[in-house]
Amino acid sequence: MNYSRNYGSKARLGISNVRILVTGGLGFVGSRLCIHLKQQGHSVTIGGRSISAPPNWFPQADFVNIDWEDDYSLAQACEDIDVVFHAAGMSSKECIEEPIKALQFKGLCTARLLEQVGKSSATRFIYLSTAHVYASPLVGVINEYTCPQNKHPYATSHLAAENVVLDSSRHSNIERIVVRLSNVYGAPVNPKANCWMLLVNDLCRQAIKHRHMVLKTSGIQRRDFVPMTKVVEILSSLASQRLTDFSSNILNIGSGNSMTVLEMTRLIKERCKVVMGFIPKITSVPFEVDEQTHELSYESLFLTEKHFRKSTDIINSEIDRLLHFCHTHLR
């Protein structure tokens, strides 16, 4: 690792005020990350298309419009920045509808951004990818040495960007990390955020709007559900810790404790009773005779126990916060 530039000193000394650009900072993960980084004392700039003013949920934020096809615009976005979180991208649905556009955006735009980061004062580039690059569905033991095999357009577009970021022949002066997130859930900061197709978010929405959660399957599939609070805590640590603390350029972030879809649905039912005062109904598809539950262990070999610790309190509080958000904004 190269710590010859200014940011390297900040990382070793643990200085809290790091200047951070978050592309896709208006998105589901990006927006929660921006707020958390600001709460940690960092200077945060939100980067995205057609931003005319700070969002109402973050009125004190700095913001910058990014034209992904204009090198000057990208250079301006990276000016006076120490760390870049690259979270901009297309949803899974959008990738299916326009797979070529998805590959172009993730591959070419990430390359253009990284090129300008290399010319700026920034010394760390963190790309937010997905666990679904590994396979669909995720089964068995998965860690950072597992070979990605998913051919879905959402996965292949993320892999294209990962390859750009991890290319060791260029930008050797930039510390680069690829983060593969498992199934993140939690309250967005904006009701219009593109997050209501996510299973846990959708179930909480159903519970509040209809007092009835309908599963499209039997619910025996295992998934690694990770609360947003834990995700932004770990990502925030990546902004200020030495990369030698993680020992790898690829990091899996999940809960480390998979559960079935039905178990999660029942947990949401329990939390509804505790925090909302009612018990929603659950409807699922009947089990098939030959249907099986496949084990899943989504592991990180490079995050320490303090990063990957399991906490029932965090799981419950994240669901509670999401239920309250749905009650306030989506009824």
Side-chain angles (χ1 to χ4, degrees):
M1 299 297 175
N2 184 342
Y3 288 97
S4 61
R5 301 169 82 177
N6 290 336
Y7 176 66
S9 298
K10 288 187 179 182
R12 287 196 297 274
L13 295 173
I15 294 175
S16 61
N17 185 19
V18 179
R19 300 166 300 179
I20 301 172
L21 169 67
V22 181
T23 73
L26 298 180
F28 174 49
V29 176
S31 56
R32 285 280 300 267
L33 176 60
C34 286
I35 290 175
H36 184 79
L37 291 169
K38 190 68 174 180
Q39 291 171 343
Q40 295 301 303
H42 301 304
S43 299
V44 181
T45 298
I46 298 174
R49 294 179 185 268
S50 304
I51 303 176
S52 58
N56 57 12
W57 47 265
F58 200 177
Q60 73 273 34
D62 293 324
F63 64 95
V64 60
N65 285 301
I66 297 178
D67 181 343
W68 292 99
E69 297 182 357
D70 184 351
D71 289 342
Y72 178 75
S73 174
L74 292 169
Q76 289 293 104
C78 298
E79 188 174 356
D80 296 325
I81 293 295
D82 299 313
V83 176
V84 175
F85 282 96
H86 184 29
M90 297 166 62
S91 69
S92 178
K93 181 175 181 293
E94 291 169 332
C95 290
I96 293 172
E97 294 171 349
E98 299 185 87
I100 295 176
K101 182 178 178 180
L103 277 172
Q104 289 176 330
F105 181 82
K106 281 297 189 180
L108 293 177
C109 294
T110 299
R112 283 179 171 148
L113 175 61
L114 194 54
E115 190 73 26
Q116 298 308 316
V117 171
K119 298 175 182 178
S120 73
S121 60
T123 58
R124 185 167 294 182
F125 187 96
I126 302 166
Y127 177 69
L128 303 192
S129 187
T130 172
H132 298 289
V133 299
Y134 290 115
S136 180
L138 297 173
V139 296
V141 177
I142 296 174
N143 58 47
E144 289 89 346
Y145 291 123
T146 302
C147 181
Q149 298 183 32
N150 192 358
K151 303 303 181 184
H152 188 284
Y154 183 65
T156 56
S157 62
H158 272 289
L159 278 172
E162 286 189 15
N163 289 334
V164 169
V165 174
L166 297 175
D167 181 1
S168 60
S169 66
R170 297 175 62 82
H171 313 301
S172 59
N173 59 329
I174 304 171
E175 299 165 346
R176 291 152 290 152
I177 309 173
V178 167
V179 174
R180 292 171 176 166
L181 302 174
S182 66
N183 295 280
V184 184
Y185 67 90
V189 297
N190 181 354
K192 296 181 180 179
N194 189 14
C195 66
W196 301 109
M197 82 299 293
L198 302 174
L199 180 67
V200 178
N201 285 40
D202 179 50
L203 289 173
C204 289
R205 179 191 61 81
Q206 288 186 53
I208 295 299
K209 291 190 70 172
H210 309 297
R211 300 199 173 196
H212 185 190
M213 293 180 285
V214 179
L215 297 179
K216 298 178 181 178
T217 68
S218 64
I220 69 168
Q221 308 89 344
R222 284 197 169 273
R223 295 190 184 180
D224 182 281
F225 298 106
V226 59
M228 179 72 83
T229 299
K230 176 52 56 180
V231 170
V232 297
E233 285 178 359
I234 296 174
L235 292 177
S236 178
S237 72
L238 293 179
S240 56
Q241 288 189 242
R242 295 176 300 174
L243 287 196
T244 50
D245 293 339
F246 301 98
S247 307
S248 174
N249 291 97
I250 298 176
L251 294 175
N252 289 345
I253 296 181
S255 70
N257 183 29
S258 67
M259 58 196 305
T260 68
V261 169
L262 192 55
E263 287 170 340
M264 173 56 79
T265 307
R266 288 170 177 163
L267 177 57
I268 294 171
K269 177 181 177 179
E270 293 173 9
R271 299 315 301 170
C272 275
K273 179 181 179 181
V274 172
V275 301
M276 306 306 296
F278 70 88
I279 302 175
K281 180 181 177 182
I282 298 174
T283 300
S284 61
V285 175
F287 293 98
E288 298 289 340
V289 175
D290 58 348
E291 197 170 5
Q292 297 180 3
T293 299
H294 297 283
E295 293 301 314
L296 169 62
S297 179
Y298 189 68
E299 301 177 351
S300 177
L301 299 179
F302 304 105
L303 289 175
T304 63
E305 263 315 300
K306 70 175 181 178
H307 292 108
F308 220 42
R309 64 184 175 85
K310 305 173 182 67
S311 172
T312 300
D313 289 341
I314 293 177
I315 294 170
N316 288 349
S317 64
E318 195 74 57
I319 293 173
D320 295 351
R321 179 176 176 178
L322 179 52
L323 289 169
H324 281 297
F325 185 93
C326 293
H327 181 265
T328 301
H329 297 284
L330 301 180
R331 284 191 303 165

